[in-house]
Structures are given as C-alpha cells and as structure tokens.
Amino acid sequence: MSLLYSGASPDSAGLAGPLSPSTELPVARALFCSDLDRTLIYSAAALMLDGADHDAPSLQVAEILEGRPQSYLTNAASGLLTQIAEAGAFVPVTTRTVAQYRRIRFHGPRPKYAVTTNGAQILVDGVPDQEWSDSLGHRVANESAPLEEISAYVLLPIHSEWMLRLRDAEGLFLYAMVERENLPAETLTYLTAWCASRNWTVSLQGRKLYFIPSLIGKEFAVAEVARRMGGPRVVAAGDSLLDKNFLGTAFAAIRPSHGELEESGFEAKGLTVTKKRGVLAGEEIVRAAHGMVFGDS
Ligand SMILES: [Mg+2]
C-alpha cells in the first residue's frame, strides 16, 4: 500500500499533538473511521460470548449509563485502538447523538474528529463544528421535506399498531421504537416510498425505525473529515444498514459477521468480514484495522 497518509495535513490544527515527530509513534498510512455500537463496543446483551466463561476475554468498560456499565470492548481491542488513536488515525462514526456519544470512554487521546448523529454533526476536539451543521442544515432544508411533515405522518393512528413512540435526534431526524412483529413488510415498503418522494430515507435497525433526510449520511461526514485531514485512505468499519454507504465508499472496509449487514449479505470491494461474532468480532476488527493503518499486515 502506498503511503498516502503520513500525518502531514493542510489542516495543521487538525493533527496537533500525537503526530509530533518526537513521539516515535508508527506512521499511520490510513484513517480508521469506525461505527461504535456493535462494531467496536458491545452491551452485555450483544457480547455473544458463547464459549466457556473461564475462556472469556478480559473486558474494559467503554460506557457508563445511569451509573452502571453499559458497553464494553476487550482489553486487547482497547490496547490496539489506543495505538491507532495515538497516531491521530481514529475517527469514531456513530448514529448516536452528541450527548449519547459523550458517554463513551476510550483509553488514549480523544480523537481530533468524531462523526455523530449519523453524519449530521462533526465534532472537532469534542465540539460540534458549526460550519458543517449549518451548511448541511441549509441543504437539507432545501432538498428534504420538513421533519414535522414526516413526524405527523408517522404519528397517524393507522400506524399505532407497530409504533410505540417517536423520538427526534437533535431535531434533525426521527426514530420510532417499533413492535417489529406488528410491522408488516408492505408497510415498510410504502413508508419507504412515501419518505423517498420527500427525500427522506427509512432504515429499520432492530427495534428502531429511523427516518433520516437523504443528505444526512455517515459517508458525507467521513468524506469531509478525510478532506480536512489531507485525503488519507479510509478504512471503514460498521455493522448496520446505516453504515452501508460509508463502507461502500471507503478504500477498505471491515464488518462483523453479525448484524444487519451480515443478515443482508452485504459485500463490497476490499471488504473483510470477521470470523468471530460479538465483542470478539470487535477485537478482530480493531486488529485488522491496526494492520491496515500501520501496514503491518
Ligand atoms: Mg452499529
């Protein structure tokens, strides 16, 4: 792999600190842009530790929710991820809102950039980038129907069979908690078509049905971050349908052998699929990314 990313960047403010030549860190050759939930971090219910308890890996807590541990990664994954972060080459990419993202704790330095709210926000040193959200908000307002129109439609009594409650993410998009067994495939089909004609995308993720303006996508925000960092090659990782375009447009992609991309049989050029599932797939993803970022595999 040619050396496209040496840490040099036209945006010098974006790469201060860990990339200082005096630290003798390995040079990153690519940028690791990764989804979080069920890709890097796992709730207790999602660990999928099927072997004997005494063979289970050591885990590190990655999130506290209401005073209790909520998400985990393996210690080995944490160590490798810390090295990627220390090289300034880790960008978290999540559908979580900013507030939900701020609960995540990784060892190592805070990444310079993070993508949250499914690409609607780019955090720079932990602070939402106003220029990105303003320009995206402007384009969404021009090209997609207003959120109120979508929410009024979803809240119609004819949808009450499957719709438990509707929430908005920072006023930018919607997600409904649904009763999946009451949500027929044909309903999903007409909802998708109705929303598409208003330039909104529908995506079912577990018990959450997302309604997102078509211009809000992880792939656009990742492209913007990569542009600001001088155009490194992107190694992408993700597990869900909301990660599909972001994985499809990356130089290389990694996905676990669980989740919606697995269920839909997602394949792409340069895609690596883990052998393991659950939190051990998370470790495999970080190990593969580490090899690609530092060129040691
Ligand atoms: Mg995920």
Side-chain angles (χ1 to χ4, degrees):
M1 188 163 72
S2 65
L3 207 161
L4 281 188
Y5 177 52
S6 63
S9 163
D11 178 6
S12 58
L15 289 160
L19 285 168
S20 156
S22 63
T23 58
E24 293 181 19
L25 285 164
V27 174
R29 300 174 180 215
L31 193 62
F32 179 42
C33 299
S34 181
D35 172 55
L36 299 178
D37 293 86
R38 298 188 186 214
T39 297
L40 290 188
I41 63 171
Y42 293 77
S43 66
L47 291 175
M48 295 186 187
L49 290 170
D50 305 325
D53 289 346
H54 61 254
D55 290 331
S58 301
L59 299 178
Q60 180 183 304
V61 176
E63 179 184 22
I64 297 288
L65 178 63
E66 294 170 357
R68 294 193 177 89
Q70 173 69 17
S71 306
Y72 307 84
L73 74 171
T74 69
N75 280 344
S78 175
L80 293 165
L81 188 62
T82 297
Q83 289 178 11
I84 299 173
E86 283 172 345
F90 173 43
V91 179
V93 181
T94 180
T95 303
R96 286 174 175 243
T97 60
V98 175
Q100 291 165 343
Y101 168 70
R102 284 182 175 149
R103 295 199 298 258
I104 308 293
R105 290 286 181 278
F106 289 121
H107 285 186
R110 176 175 64 195
K112 174 77 185 172
Y113 292 103
V115 170
T116 72
T117 331
N118 206 55
Q121 301 275 14
I122 294 175
L123 307 191
V124 184
D125 294 324
V127 179
D129 183 298
Q130 204 62 44
E131 191 186 322
W132 174 255
S133 50
D134 285 352
S135 103
L136 184 62
H138 187 69
R139 280 180 285 141
V140 168
N142 278 340
E143 296 187 28
S144 292
L147 179 133
E148 294 72 23
E149 184 180 335
I150 309 298
S151 71
Y153 184 70
V154 178
L155 289 167
L156 286 175
I158 51 163
H159 297 141
S160 61
E161 277 283 287
W162 51 266
M163 228 280 298
L164 300 175
R165 54 188 179 276
L166 189 66
R167 291 186 171 150
D168 77 273
E170 299 172 8
L172 296 165
F173 61 83
L174 300 161
Y175 56 98
M177 302 306 295
V178 303
E179 199 77 71
R180 274 190 82 146
E181 47 276 26
N182 293 345
L183 178 61
E186 54 270 28
T187 302
L188 207 50
T189 304
Y190 84 67
L191 277 172
T192 302
W194 189 89
C195 286
S197 68
R198 285 152 183 83
N199 223 3
W200 281 65
T201 302
V202 176
S203 176
L204 183 62
Q205 317 268 326
R207 295 182 63 236
K208 286 182 183 165
L209 184 60
Y210 287 89
F211 300 87
I212 303 179
S214 304
L215 285 173
I216 296 181
K218 291 177 174 180
E219 66 275 25
F220 306 119
V222 166
E224 173 63 12
V225 169
R227 189 189 65 77
R228 292 186 192 189
M229 296 186 76
R233 284 178 168 173
V234 169
V235 174
D239 69 300
S240 82
L241 293 172
L242 290 172
D243 301 317
K244 193 173 167 181
N245 293 339
F246 144 63
L247 264 61
T249 53
F251 173 74
I254 314 166
R255 72 164 174 83
S257 55
H258 63 248
E260 280 151 340
L261 291 180
E262 168 73 13
E263 285 159 25
S264 66
F266 174 74
E267 290 296 337
K269 193 169 153 279
L271 177 74
T272 301
V273 182
T274 64
K275 292 187 175 62
K276 292 179 177 158
R277 292 152 51 88
V279 73
L280 287 170
E283 180 178 317
E284 214 179 315
I285 287 167
V286 181
R287 201 174 294 286
H290 189 279
M292 294 177 198
V293 166
F294 295 117
D296 53 20
S297 76

